Amino acid sequence: KFKAPRHGSLGFLPRKRCARHRGKVKSFPKDDKSKPCHLTAFMGHKAGMSHILREVDRVGSRSHKKEVVEAVTIIETPPMVAVGVVGYIETPRGMRTFKTVFSQHISDECKRRFYKNWYRSKKKAHTRTAQKWADEDGKKSIETDFAKMAKYCTAIRVLCHTQPKLFKLQEKKANIMEIQINGGEMADKVTFARSLLEKPISVKDLFSENEMIDIIGVTRGHGFKGVTYRWGTKKLPRKTHKGLRKVACIGAWHPSKVCWSVPRAGQFGYHHRTEVNKKVYRVGTKGDQKSASTPFDLTDKPITPMGGFHHYGQINEDFLMLKGCVMGPRKRVITLRKSLLVHTKRVALEKISLKFIDTASKWGHGRFQTDAEKKAFMGLLKKDREAI
């Protein structure tokens, strides 16, 4: 009679503001030497949401051969640039960095990340590493470092950064992360990492359609919230003294302290979260004016809806379309990682064939999919006449 399941999960304690804005990969997929060398993570920015229509191909399911409408999230993913190689060795206390080699040319976008105040700084970051590549002794030491990495290291990661100039956001500092290289022998990994230095890395080199991936990011912040909102506890009766959105009893007389598992008011949102098994519905390429077309809907239309993604704008670069929602507000940086699991379920292996992608305006009740469609229906508008 007096028992009930607890409200809210204790698995996500402490519910405090995340220390970092960018999602951190806490574990990379398990290495398989039989596969060719490949990268395991990428970064993009959340642009907004839309919906698609598709036919389900799942034998035995009630929705098999039926059309379903699903929500999708668009993540803009311009190419990233590799600027360094880091080698790790195994120690009794876990992995530690063994050698780090930076490339000769590092862009100002990346250098900004090394400074708190860019315009007052001397901008001397990595001038010595560039000199290393220029003289003979420096080149010898770099070759030695790469040789040592191939000989002693157990993991090779590439330092990559985003290119804010391609995002058209307020941001000027690049986001930098280490991306692990999986597949092949250690010498192959080092060679592969060297081949990537100073070159743009495209999202289609990592992910493909119908693939299951994991997303890592920081959720939307909601500030200081009470227990009813934060933990979903029951509201007290209407006439309760001093408020009703409270916890009635926060513990027994003894022990005379509040237990850690009792719901309390505090920070809600802006937490670091990892969500697994998000299906890639489409990998879009830059400049494709038919990126939202399908075999069933042959209209030439790009993925950007009419009027743009609100509070984001146009999609001008490569993008990923993921099933469902993604943590954080629009413009939030999202880390995309290859799945840690070997997928065998039918839902994961299902081939997706899109019939329709919605590009109507997201600012209101969008009636038209393209500007041409609107003009054909509306005729010449007053503003068009004035323009003429």
Side-chain angles (χ1 to χ4, degrees):
K1 188 180 177 184
F2 297 113
K3 290 208 170 172
R6 66 160 291 113
H7 288 274
S9 169
L10 297 177
F12 294 105
L13 291 180
R15 296 198 178 200
K16 56 197 271 190
R17 282 175 60 80
C18 185
R20 62 181 77 84
H21 187 69
R22 173 181 66 81
K24 181 182 180 182
V25 178
K26 306 246 174 131
S27 54
F28 284 97
K30 201 169 178 221
D31 194 6
D32 181 3
K33 289 182 179 178
S34 62
K35 290 180 179 168
C37 294
H38 60 277
L39 293 171
T40 49
F42 206 79
M43 276 193 286
H45 283 69
K46 178 174 167 176
M49 293 188 75
S50 185
H51 65 264
I52 57 99
L53 179 85
R54 72 180 182 93
E55 193 177 90
V56 177
D57 179 27
R58 208 179 302 150
V59 181
S61 165
R62 282 186 177 174
S63 51
H64 180 56
K65 293 288 182 199
K66 288 187 179 151
E67 289 182 342
V68 291
V69 174
E70 290 172 334
V72 290
T73 305
I74 310 299
I75 296 178
E76 194 171 12
T77 52
M80 291 175 74
V81 179
V83 289
V85 183
V86 186
Y88 283 84
I89 53 170
E90 203 72 64
T91 70
R93 290 188 303 279
M95 287 165 74
R96 76 164 179 88
T97 53
F98 176 62
K99 292 284 179 193
T100 306
V101 177
F102 279 92
S103 64
Q104 186 172 2
H105 306 290
I106 298 175
S107 68
D108 281 357
E109 291 177 317
C110 180
K111 284 181 186 171
R112 274 175 185 269
R113 183 54 66 186
F114 307 134
Y115 290 101
K116 203 78 177 164
N117 193 331
W118 174 251
Y119 89 97
R120 289 176 72 180
S121 69
K122 292 181 178 174
K123 305 175 180 55
K124 301 285 279 183
H126 290 285
T127 45
R128 295 230 178 125
T129 48
Q131 285 165 5
K132 249 189 178 184
W133 287 87
D135 62 57
E136 289 304 314
D137 293 342
K139 275 182 185 167
K140 272 183 191 165
S141 73
I142 289 167
E143 290 299 332
T144 312
D145 286 350
F146 278 130
K148 281 183 178 173
M149 273 191 212
K151 190 175 179 185
Y152 298 113
C153 286
T154 53
I156 300 290
R157 293 180 186 171
V158 183
L159 275 163
C160 299
H161 70 81
T162 56
Q163 301 185 72
K165 65 170 185 277
L166 302 178
F167 278 113
K168 301 287 184 287
L169 301 179
Q170 299 287 296
E171 195 173 45
K172 290 180 184 176
K173 277 186 188 183
N175 283 294
I176 305 177
M177 75 175 290
E178 283 183 8
I179 302 174
Q180 187 160 304
I181 295 174
N182 279 3
E185 294 296 329
M186 208 47 62
D188 304 334
K189 286 185 170 74
V190 173
T191 312
F192 180 69
R194 288 188 73 170
S195 71
L196 294 175
L197 284 181
E198 295 183 26
K199 295 207 178 82
I201 300 161
S202 176
V203 72
K204 58 178 179 288
D205 301 338
L206 272 81
F207 304 120
S208 57
E209 287 178 21
N210 304 318
E211 191 177 342
M212 291 295 231
I213 66 170
D214 303 340
I215 53 170
I216 305 161
V218 177
T219 60
R220 184 191 293 261
H222 294 273
F224 193 99
K225 287 289 181 186
V227 280
T228 308
Y229 190 100
R230 194 179 186 219
W231 292 96
T233 55
K234 206 152 189 67
K235 281 167 71 177
L236 301 179
R238 182 184 62 79
K239 291 178 75 171
T240 312
H241 181 54
K242 287 191 175 174
L244 46 83
R245 294 174 67 91
K246 294 175 178 292
V247 173
C249 174
I250 57 168
W253 192 305
H254 287 292
S256 54
K257 49 177 82 68
V258 179
C259 185
W260 60 276
S261 59
V262 175
R264 308 289 274 161
Q267 172 69 29
F268 181 74
Y270 204 75
H271 307 310
H272 188 276
R273 294 287 178 265
T274 303
E275 201 174 330
V276 297
N277 300 348
K278 305 295 275 188
K279 201 168 187 83
V280 178
Y281 274 10
R282 181 162 283 198
V283 181
T285 50
K286 179 184 177 178
D288 183 9
Q289 290 305 307
K290 298 181 181 180
S291 54
S293 303
T294 65
F296 295 87
D297 175 25
L298 299 170
T299 319
D300 291 357
K301 54 180 187 177
I303 194 68
T304 309
M306 288 184 71
F309 281 106
H310 59 143
H311 300 109
Y312 188 87
Q314 307 280 332
I315 298 267
N316 299 318
E317 297 290 328
D318 301 347
F319 67 87
L320 279 189
M321 183 194 284
L322 301 182
K323 183 190 173 180
C325 60
V326 167
M327 72 282 287
R330 56 194 80 71
K331 299 182 186 173
R332 178 66 47 90
V333 62
I334 303 289
T335 306
L336 312 158
R337 179 187 66 188
K338 282 201 174 281
S339 181
L340 303 182
L341 312 168
V342 177
H343 292 284
T344 52
K345 291 192 174 177
R346 278 190 310 173
V347 178
L349 301 175
E350 185 183 349
K351 291 275 180 286
I352 303 298
S353 60
L354 303 180
K355 282 194 164 183
F356 169 75
I357 299 168
D358 183 61
T359 56
S361 174
K362 305 295 171 206
W363 284 101
H365 301 284
R367 290 171 60 193
F368 307 105
Q369 292 295 317
T370 60
D371 198 38
E373 187 186 325
K374 183 178 179 180
K375 281 182 176 149
F377 182 83
M378 293 283 205
L380 207 59
L381 299 175
K382 186 181 173 184
K383 61 180 181 183
D384 298 331
R385 275 199 224 101
E386 285 168 0
I388 295 164

